[in-house]
Amino acid sequence: MTITIERLQELIEQDVTLHRMNDDELIQQVLPSLETLDQQLRAQLLAFLERFATNENINASRKERVILELISDDYLFYNQGMLNSNELYKRSYSMKALGFFIDAHNEVPFIDNATYDAIYRAVMLYLQLEEDVRSYGKEGGLVQPVAYAVDALEKLMDDERFPKEQSANLFRVVANKIACSSVLYIGDEKEVLSKTIMKLLKIHLDEKVIEDFFIRVPKFMTSQNEKLRSDEQLYLYKNVTGFLYVFHLYIYRRNMHNSLLKSIEHCLEKLVPSMK
């Protein structure tokens, strides 16, 4: 059973009633609605969950209960491995909703150590397992699971418990999402990937790790082109070069990491004929 737009609107408008909301309605009606293809209902649902996450009258245990539901097999990992299925919406928007709770915690801490560890493991696992990385679906509109997952990871970095020593491994997980040949990214993926890598640089990551990645990109692209269909070759080319242009702009605006800036330019020169 899912909730109606009218009931969600009522809950949003009467913010004072959120902390008195019945948990059964929340778990049995609100969260299952994350699978909806109705974009209007989804917008109302996300607005409600953001209000719920930031409402200081709602105690931590109730918020953590919702978090644990969101990262469970019933939501974030629901039918993981299914490609070109509308079930992606449930997984992707569970991740987006999770981001609201991480944001709320970063403002007013409430997530305990065990729950933080569970969130971190779930986000990392999802990034590695999700193969349906479409930005958009015909029936449900915007979906972009890569953008929502990488954004959640970036938000987790604001917590002192974030494992900074794992920055190089985290970069490799994120970098794997840059070199995508299955679809053409048309959402916020390039910007979110760039922002997250910049955050990794700020907190711990050695820029040489990124430079090594850029050195290998041209050869990787050549080797992949021998295996891919023409449309997949185009997706890979546009996703990689599109990211490089956006990331170059992020680095340029910071007016630092000059060596990294040159590495991006050299990589683009090898990939884009007009850059030579």
Side-chain angles (χ1 to χ4, degrees):
M1 182 177 181
T2 57
I3 202 163
T4 64
I5 292 177
E6 291 75 20
R7 175 58 176 154
L8 278 172
Q9 188 62 45
E10 178 186 352
L11 290 167
I12 293 167
E13 291 175 351
Q14 299 177 13
D15 189 48
V16 68
T17 68
L18 284 179
H19 66 286
R20 300 192 184 97
M21 183 182 184
N22 185 291
D23 280 359
D24 288 340
E25 183 177 21
L26 177 64
I27 300 299
Q28 297 174 17
Q29 296 184 43
V30 174
L31 294 187
S33 299
L34 285 165
E35 67 185 2
T36 185
L37 300 180
D38 183 325
Q39 296 181 55
Q40 183 181 2
L41 175 59
R42 183 191 305 137
Q44 296 284 3
L45 174 62
L46 293 173
F48 166 75
L49 288 172
E50 186 171 21
R51 288 282 190 90
F52 185 91
T54 57
N55 190 310
E56 295 183 12
N57 290 319
I58 298 172
N59 64 46
S61 63
R62 293 187 67 197
K63 292 181 181 181
E64 289 192 335
R65 181 185 176 190
V66 175
I67 288 172
L68 294 176
E69 284 287 334
L70 288 172
I71 64 175
S72 72
D73 290 348
D74 291 329
Y75 289 92
L76 191 57
F77 298 99
Y78 182 70
N79 282 349
Q80 184 69 257
M82 294 285 290
L83 297 177
N84 299 314
S85 166
N86 287 333
E87 291 162 347
L88 174 63
Y89 283 89
K90 188 174 189 178
R91 299 195 298 271
S92 183
Y93 282 99
S94 294
M95 182 66 79
K96 183 171 178 61
L98 179 63
F100 296 148
F101 288 88
I102 301 171
D103 266 340
H105 167 78
N106 288 338
E107 290 295 323
V108 181
F110 67 88
I111 297 175
D112 65 23
N113 290 341
T115 302
Y116 180 88
D117 289 343
I119 295 170
Y120 174 76
R121 290 195 303 270
V123 172
M124 289 298 296
L125 183 60
Y126 181 82
L127 269 171
Q128 295 172 80
L129 291 181
E130 185 60 80
E131 296 180 359
D132 191 345
V133 294
R134 291 171 289 160
S135 301
Y136 193 87
K138 291 181 180 179
E139 296 185 28
L142 190 69
V143 60
Q144 55 177 20
V146 170
Y148 294 146
V150 175
D151 183 59
L153 179 63
E154 191 266 338
K155 291 172 179 176
L156 286 168
M157 295 179 195
D158 289 331
D159 194 292
E160 63 182 9
R161 294 169 291 188
F162 185 79
K164 297 179 181 179
E165 69 281 0
Q166 293 294 319
S167 293
N169 290 332
L170 298 181
F171 168 75
R172 294 184 184 99
V173 171
V174 171
N176 282 337
K177 296 303 179 182
I178 297 169
C180 173
S181 61
S182 59
V183 299
L184 178 64
Y185 289 148
I186 58 174
D188 300 324
E189 292 88 354
K190 302 175 188 68
E191 289 75 13
V192 175
L193 286 162
S194 296
K195 181 181 176 183
T196 300
I197 294 172
M198 291 298 294
K199 179 71 74 69
L200 283 170
L201 271 172
K202 180 179 179 181
I203 64 175
H204 196 75
L205 183 64
D206 186 339
E207 66 182 61
K208 292 186 180 299
V209 173
I210 306 178
E211 290 178 4
D212 287 344
F213 170 74
F214 291 146
I215 289 171
R216 291 175 170 81
V217 164
K219 288 185 178 180
F220 169 78
M221 299 275 284
T222 300
S223 66
Q224 288 299 107
N225 284 342
E226 298 172 357
K227 308 172 186 177
L228 301 175
R229 302 189 311 265
S230 59
D231 59 332
E232 293 173 329
Q233 292 176 25
L234 180 63
Y235 296 157
L236 179 62
Y237 175 80
K238 286 187 172 292
N239 287 334
V240 170
T241 56
F243 163 78
L244 289 171
Y245 284 124
V246 173
F247 189 55
H248 183 277
L249 183 59
Y250 270 76
I251 296 291
Y252 180 79
R253 285 174 174 172
R254 287 284 299 274
N255 195 28
M256 55 192 306
H257 303 296
N258 290 332
S259 176
L260 186 54
L261 198 65
K262 291 179 180 179
S263 294
I264 300 171
E265 292 168 354
H266 290 159
C267 186
L268 280 168
E269 286 174 0
K270 292 183 178 181
L271 296 176
V272 184
S274 61
M275 290 287 292
K276 295 181 180 180

